[in-house]
Each structure stands twice: as C-alpha cells, then as structure tokens.
Amino acid sequence: MRSIKRRNSPFEILLRGMKMVLIQANAKLNLSFKILGRRPDGYHEIESIFQSVNLSDFLLFEKAKNNYFSGGIICPDSDNLILKAKNHLEKVLGKKLTCHIHLQKVIPIAAGFGGGSADAAATLLALNLLYNLGLAKKELAKIGKSIGADVPFFFYGGTCKVGGIGEKITPIKKRLPKLFVLFRPHKRIGTKKMYELHDKTGKDFPALAQEICPDIKNIERYLADFKIEAKLSGSGPTIFCGLD
C-alpha cells in the first residue's frame, strides 16, 4: 500500500546543462477506462481519464561519444521503450544522438501506471533539450505515438480526457481527492495480454484482472467494508482509491 498525490505535470526537469539532462518522469492513473472497440489495424479505441501522479522514475542523459545504458535494466534491449524512443527519434531526424542513459526505476512495471510510456516520453523530451532539436510538444507527441499508444499523454500531463488509441488528448478540469492510495498485488499483468483476452472473451479489464489476480477481489472487499470505492488503473493489477 502506498499513498501518492496528483501532479499537474508529467515531468520535472531537475537538471539541465549543455551536456546533461536529469528528468523526473511521473506515472499516471486511469481515473476511468473503457474499451470502445477494436480497429481494423488491431489497435483499440478507448475512452479514459488519465491523471499524473508523483510516483516517478528518474532518467539521466549525458552527451557521449558512444551509447551506453545503465541502471534499471528490466528487459531486453528489443523491448526497452527508452531505447526504442531514442532509436525512433534518430530515424525520424536522420542523425545519431549518442549519449549515456541512466535509469533509476521506481514505477512498478506491468502494473497499470504507464511507466514504460513515461520513460519513453522523457527520453524524447530529454534528447530534444540535450541536442537543442527545437521540436514542439505536438511533434514529440506524434513521434511518441509510434512508440506506444500511451506515450502522447506524457507530453501533457495533469488531468486529461484520452481518446482514440491514446493519441487524442484533451486537458480537463475535474474535482479530485487530496491523495490516492494504491494497492499493488505482487503480480504483473501485460497490457497486450489483457487486450488479447478482452478480444477473446468480451470481458472488461477489471473482470479479467480479478481472474488473473484473485488478490484484487480481497482488496476490493476490504475497502467496501469502509464504503470506499476501489478502481483498477489501466490493465492492472494496481487498485486505487481517492481520499479527501
């Protein structure tokens, strides 16, 4: 269990110099989430409200003659969204952006927080600053969409209505609790797997998450005893509630 607060920004630039950028990349919660249908290209149309929160990864980028990645190495390079973001930006620009990247991983993976997408967006932002590329937020969001459907949100942050496959971002005003309390079962649930199960069964993410991770039901029952509504963030398994 952990308590967190909302944030109005997806990033905090902690250090910016000619040769180095340090970024705090904030996670998100899905205050609401609905799958509207599957598109011919295989992606899913969604309707959701995303909220930035102060559960954060920290990424340090430093100009260098060679590329090097260190820190929270949690997956093969081929699945690393940080490296995917860097490689894709280089492809779009047609030039190399060599640097050392160090990741301090705090956001749990496969937990419904969008940590990988936050890191990918932070990478695009950091390289834009480090190499003075002059790319606008909309341009970075467009590039980010090619890396992951959730990535565009992390160039806006705060409270946003999210549509399409995740690329339609509309900042909104919404009354929010003072803090959120998170309950994260020790189970990883991949978003891709959840969409596949949804297509196969027609069940929504909360129902599927309960089947994959029975601890979710126990948490919901516990909170219900105190008349507190529990919600699933993204594809889960994280359950959260708001407290005033």
Side-chain angles (χ1 to χ4, degrees):
M1 184 177 73
R2 177 171 178 171
S3 63
I4 56 174
K5 295 182 179 180
R6 63 181 184 271
R7 281 288 181 264
N8 294 324
S9 171
F11 302 118
E12 303 292 337
I13 300 173
L14 305 178
L15 173 66
R16 181 184 179 186
M18 293 181 63
K19 296 185 177 181
M20 188 179 296
V21 175
L22 175 62
I23 291 184
Q24 175 181 329
N26 297 325
K28 60 84 179 165
L29 291 178
N30 292 85
L31 302 184
S32 65
F33 184 81
K34 184 178 181 181
I35 301 173
L36 302 180
R38 189 171 186 267
R39 308 191 327 178
D41 61 7
Y43 286 98
H44 294 77
E45 293 276 343
I46 66 167
E47 185 179 273
S48 185
I49 296 177
F50 285 14
Q51 175 64 53
S52 298
V53 292
N54 67 338
L55 176 62
S56 314
D57 287 344
F58 298 84
L59 299 96
L60 178 65
F61 297 80
E62 184 177 8
K63 283 185 179 179
K65 293 182 179 180
N66 299 300
N67 291 311
Y68 182 72
F69 183 87
S70 62
I73 302 174
I74 56 176
C75 62
D77 287 355
S78 58
D79 297 327
N80 189 321
L81 292 186
I82 294 171
L83 299 181
K84 283 186 176 182
K86 179 180 179 296
N87 293 338
H88 188 67
L89 182 59
E90 289 177 331
K91 184 178 179 180
V92 169
L93 298 175
K95 64 178 181 180
K96 294 296 182 180
L97 306 170
T98 55
C99 62
H100 288 178
I101 304 173
H102 181 80
L103 169 65
Q104 182 179 333
K105 189 68 181 168
V106 177
I107 303 172
I109 65 173
F113 294 120
S117 295
D119 293 345
T123 299
L124 296 177
L125 176 63
L127 294 175
N128 187 44
L129 296 174
L130 193 61
Y131 282 91
N132 296 310
L133 302 176
L135 297 172
K137 180 168 66 175
K138 287 186 177 181
E139 294 176 285
L140 292 171
K142 184 177 180 181
I143 294 170
K145 178 187 172 184
S146 300
I147 301 158
D150 285 350
V151 176
F153 163 75
F154 291 97
F155 292 103
Y156 294 83
T159 312
C160 292
K161 183 178 179 180
V162 178
I165 64 170
E167 84 285 5
K168 296 178 181 178
I169 314 295
T170 306
I172 62 172
K173 292 183 178 180
K174 181 179 175 63
R175 185 184 179 279
L176 296 168
K178 291 181 178 179
L179 58 86
F180 298 98
V181 179
L182 310 179
F183 301 82
R184 180 189 170 252
H186 290 285
K187 179 75 175 179
R188 294 178 181 176
I189 300 180
T191 302
K192 181 180 179 181
K193 178 182 178 181
M194 289 291 277
Y195 275 117
E196 290 173 350
L197 289 172
H198 167 77
D199 291 340
K200 184 177 180 180
T201 65
K203 297 179 180 179
D204 60 16
F205 279 4
L208 291 170
Q210 287 180 356
E211 292 177 1
I212 296 171
C213 181
D215 283 344
I216 291 174
K217 288 184 179 180
N218 296 330
I219 296 169
E220 290 177 339
R221 290 192 191 102
Y222 174 80
L223 293 174
D225 288 341
F226 297 92
K227 301 186 185 305
I228 296 174
E229 180 185 8
K231 293 184 178 181
L232 183 78
S233 183
S235 56
T238 300
I239 294 292
F240 72 94
C241 61
L243 297 178
D244 289 320

